[in-house]
Amino acid sequence: MAVDTSYYLILSAAVFCTGLFGILTRRNALLFLMSVELMLNAANINLVAFSQYYGNLTGQVFALFTMALAAAEVAVGIGIILVLYRNFEDVDVAEAATMRW
């Protein structure tokens, strides 16, 4: 018994909307990173669902590339957050607007 593709798309839309809500409403840089990860995972769900629907592995390969991109994004993002915390003792992104060269 296979799960219909529409259920995967509904799940993906819910996860993406949760990530978008997190980006639009939060000011904490760590929550920004987690919200972006949710949005990338929603894209991965779509890629794997359509890969299963069409019966090829192309979507799964792209999902692996997206996971590698997400890992690199987290590594760079954590570095930026550490610099923010060292300079301002807070990870509020509104404070980062005051950074000047």
Side-chain angles (χ1 to χ4, degrees):
M1 185 168 132
V3 178
D4 192 28
T5 307
S6 63
Y7 293 117
Y8 290 117
L9 297 179
I10 291 169
L11 173 67
S12 175
V15 171
F16 188 85
C17 288
T18 304
L20 186 64
F21 178 77
I23 285 179
L24 294 177
T25 59
R26 305 294 180 204
R27 292 172 47 164
N28 190 339
L30 288 173
L31 292 177
F32 270 16
L33 279 179
M34 290 191 326
S35 297
V36 168
E37 288 295 320
L38 280 174
M39 294 170 73
L40 287 172
N41 285 331
N44 284 341
I45 292 171
N46 274 334
L47 288 169
V48 172
F50 283 117
S51 174
Q52 184 263 339
Y53 180 75
Y54 288 116
N56 59 15
L57 296 177
T58 306
Q60 293 179 14
V61 171
F62 279 121
L64 286 174
F65 286 131
T66 307
M67 285 181 205
L69 175 78
E73 175 256 335
V74 165
V76 171
I78 292 293
I80 292 171
I81 289 172
L82 286 174
V83 169
L84 277 174
Y85 186 75
R86 283 184 190 160
N87 289 337
F88 298 108
E89 287 85 24
D90 193 16
V91 289
D92 188 11
V93 292
E95 292 293 323
T98 63
M99 289 181 67
R100 300 283 185 237
W101 290 96

